[in-house]
Amino acid sequence: MVQEAKDAGVWVFGGGIDESVPPVLELPSGEAALAWTAKIAVACRCAQGVRAFQFDPAS
């Protein structure tokens, strides 16, 4: 199904949550990621979460 969507030009993004990886953006630490998450939550006025995506070699 994924390859069919890619071939059709409709595939945008796919990823899964890797629970074994600590929450990190491209930042120096998990604490920094959480600090940015808090700032984004205030700016968006909604709750935020931080998760790591599994690598998809076919993407």
Side-chain angles (χ1 to χ4, degrees), residues 20-47:
S20 69
V21 176
V24 177
L25 299 173
E26 292 189 24
L27 296 164
S29 69
E31 291 80 16
L34 293 175
W36 275 104
T37 301
K39 290 180 185 184
I40 293 167
V42 169
C44 294
R45 292 184 242 151
C46 62

Side-chain angles (χ1 to χ4, degrees), residues 11 13-17 53-54 56 59:
W11 182 261
F13 172 78
I17 294 174
F53 283 96
Q54 293 175 331
D56 178 6
S59 289

Side-chain angles (χ1 to χ4, degrees), residues 1-13 58-59:
M1 175 64 194
V2 171
Q3 190 58 51
E4 181 181 355
K6 288 179 181 181
D7 293 343
V10 299
W11 182 261
V12 175
F13 172 78
S59 289

